[in-house]
Amino acid sequence: MNLHTTESDKNAAIIFSLEGIAAKAVDEYLVDPEQCWQPTDFLPDMTKDDALEQVAQLRKRTDAIPPEVITSLVGNMITEEALPNYQSFFNLLKGVNPEGNMASENGWVSWSRKWTAEENRHGDLLNKYLYLSGRADMKQVEITIHNLISNGFDAKSEQDPYQALIYTSFQERATKISHVNTGKLADKAGDDVLSRICKTIAGDEARHEKAYKSFMAKIFETDPNGALVAFETMMKKKITMPALLMDHEKDNSLFTRFSLITETMGIYTTFDYANIIHHLTEQWKVAQLTGLKDYAAKAQDYLCTLADRYRRIAERVKLQPVMNPAWINY
Ligand SMILES: [Fe+2]
Ligand SMILES: [Fe+2]
C-alpha cells in the first residue's frame, strides 16, 4: 500500500514534534570524537621506525583468511563506504529537516550528522586494513564503491520517516550480525586483530540499533496505528541491503555473489532475517497492542506470524557451493 499524503503528512508532523528524542539520543548513544575509537588505533603506526614490520605482521595474519571471508569483509566495507547516500536519505525524510539545512541544530539533523560521522570510521578502517593486507583487488573495490555511490540507494521507505526508522532499526541489527560473524571467521583463520576490529565496529552498530529502536518505540507509543501500518508496509516491500546497487555494467553479479557467500558462510542468512523480524516485533510489543483501528489490527496479525513464515523459507534455502568470490587478489 502506498501511504496516502495525509498519512505521510501526519507522520512528518509527529516526527518533527519528536526532535527532542533525537537530540537526547546523540548524548545517550553516540560518543564524542575525542573519546571514540579511531581507525589508527587498529592499524600499523606509519610514523614509527618499525612501520613496515607492523605491515608485514598484518599481512602474515591475513594470509590464511579464506577468500569467502575476504569477500564478506569487502562487501561490508563497501556498504559502509556508501555513507553519503545514507546521510542524504535520512535528511530527505519528511519532517526531519524541513529547513533543508545540514548545519541545523534540530535534533534529527544533528543525529544524522553525528551518526554518519561514527559510521565514517567503519569504512575508513576496513578499507585501510584490506589495502595493507594485499588480499583484495583494491582497484576493483574502488570501482565498486564509486559505482555504488553513483547508483544511489533506495530503502523503499517513500520518504516516510516511520518506514525509514523501521528500515534503519532492521539494518543496524543486520550489519551488526554481519560484522560479528565475519569477525568470528577471521579469528578462526588466525587474525585476532581483524576479529577485534569487526567486534568493535559491531559494537557501534549495536549502539545505533538501540537508538533507532528507541525512536520507533516512541512512535509506537505516540501513534500505534500509524507505526503498525508503516511496519507492515516496510516488511511487505522487504528490507533490501543498502549495497544492493553496487553492480555495474561490467559485472552485474557482484551483489548476488556477495549475498550468496554471506548466506553460505553463515555470516548473514535468511534465518537472521527472520530472527530480526521476531526481535523487532518483540521489542515493540506488537502482539500486546490493544485498542487498534481495523487496518492496524490487520497489520498486527500479519506482523505476528511473519518471522515464522521467513523461518520456513529459510529452512528451504538450498546452500550453493561458493563460486567466484569477488574482489580477490589471487
Ligand atoms: Fe557501520
Ligand atoms: Fe551503524
Side-chain angles (χ1 to χ4, degrees):
M1 143 189 158
N2 278 328
L3 279 187
H4 299 301
T5 320
T6 48
E7 179 82 1
S8 143
D9 288 348
K10 181 250 317 164
N11 295 359
I14 289 177
I15 279 293
F16 187 69
S17 74
L18 292 177
E19 64 100 17
I21 62 168
K24 215 168 126 237
V26 168
D27 296 333
E28 199 170 330
Y29 297 105
L30 300 181
V31 185
D32 285 338
E34 289 75 19
Q35 269 84 54
C36 214
W37 65 265
Q38 297 296 342
T40 43
D41 299 339
F42 298 88
L43 292 164
D45 185 343
M46 301 311 272
T47 65
K48 292 285 184 304
D49 289 343
D50 70 340
L52 293 182
E53 175 52 29
Q54 291 182 45
V55 173
Q57 282 168 10
L58 183 155
R59 291 169 79 97
K60 214 164 143 207
R61 282 197 311 268
T62 55
D63 250 5
I65 300 177
E68 295 80 8
V69 179
I70 297 285
T71 300
S72 163
L73 201 63
V74 173
N76 290 348
M77 181 265 264
I78 289 168
T79 308
E80 299 283 357
E81 292 281 47
L83 192 60
N85 290 342
Y86 313 136
Q87 197 180 56
S88 309
F89 150 78
F90 197 87
N91 279 277
L92 287 168
L93 299 172
K94 290 182 183 162
V96 160
N97 190 353
E99 305 161 72
N101 174 12
M102 280 306 298
S104 166
E105 281 313 310
N106 169 299
W108 292 113
V109 184
S110 166
W111 164 267
S112 82
R113 287 194 305 269
K114 289 169 174 142
W115 161 55
T116 48
E118 283 204 353
E119 294 286 357
N120 182 52
R121 290 135 62 247
H122 301 171
D124 271 5
L125 174 54
L126 293 175
N127 196 326
K128 285 175 180 141
Y129 199 88
L130 275 160
Y131 170 75
L132 291 172
S133 79
R135 291 293 313 277
D137 180 342
M138 291 310 284
K139 177 76 184 252
Q140 291 312 311
V141 171
E142 286 161 351
I143 291 173
T144 312
I145 295 168
H146 198 146
N147 270 301
L148 178 57
I149 298 174
S150 305
N151 292 344
F153 163 61
D154 183 9
K156 303 203 183 78
S157 56
E158 304 168 60
Q159 289 178 277
D160 168 31
Y162 288 15
Q163 290 183 64
L165 293 174
I166 288 158
Y167 181 90
T168 45
S169 299
F170 193 108
Q171 206 45 254
E172 291 287 356
R173 191 169 177 86
T175 45
K176 175 184 80 181
I177 292 169
S178 190
H179 286 300
V180 163
N181 289 333
T182 306
K184 279 185 191 160
L185 293 172
D187 197 34
K188 223 169 126 193
D191 193 341
D192 58 325
V193 177
L194 182 55
S195 157
R196 205 149 45 81
I197 287 173
C198 294
K199 253 190 236 159
T200 305
I201 295 175
D204 281 12
E205 312 301 16
R207 284 187 287 107
H208 302 161
E209 177 198 341
K210 266 194 198 151
Y212 280 115
K213 286 190 307 200
S214 77
F215 298 154
M216 237 4 252
K218 185 74 189 170
I219 293 167
F220 268 99
E221 205 183 293
T222 316
D223 178 13
N225 294 298
L228 276 171
V229 171
F231 196 4
E232 178 195 34
T233 309
M234 197 66 241
M235 295 319 301
K236 281 190 171 165
K237 285 184 281 198
K238 298 198 181 76
I239 302 286
T240 52
M241 296 289 274
L244 179 69
L245 300 177
M246 66 163 69
D247 286 348
H248 53 98
E249 47 186 33
K250 285 207 190 103
D251 188 348
N252 58 12
S253 68
L254 274 172
F255 185 77
T256 313
R257 278 148 67 204
F258 165 55
S259 300
L260 268 178
I261 284 173
T262 54
E263 177 89 45
T264 307
M265 300 291 290
I267 289 169
Y268 179 70
T269 68
T270 312
F271 278 111
D272 291 318
Y273 192 98
N275 291 340
I276 297 174
I277 297 172
H278 177 75
H279 174 82
L280 293 178
T281 49
E282 294 276 301
Q283 185 76 29
W284 296 323
K285 300 187 175 61
V286 167
Q288 286 89 340
L289 293 170
T290 52
L292 299 167
K293 298 205 169 122
D294 273 0
Y295 62 86
K298 276 192 194 127
Q300 180 184 42
D301 288 346
Y302 170 80
L303 290 163
C304 287
T305 56
L306 190 60
D308 280 342
R309 264 182 278 158
Y310 272 103
R311 283 197 185 114
R312 285 195 291 277
I313 294 172
E315 278 156 15
R316 291 197 302 270
V317 169
K318 285 201 180 67
L319 296 183
Q320 304 178 19
V322 175
M323 302 282 283
N324 301 326
W327 310 293
I328 296 296
N329 245 352
Y330 286 106

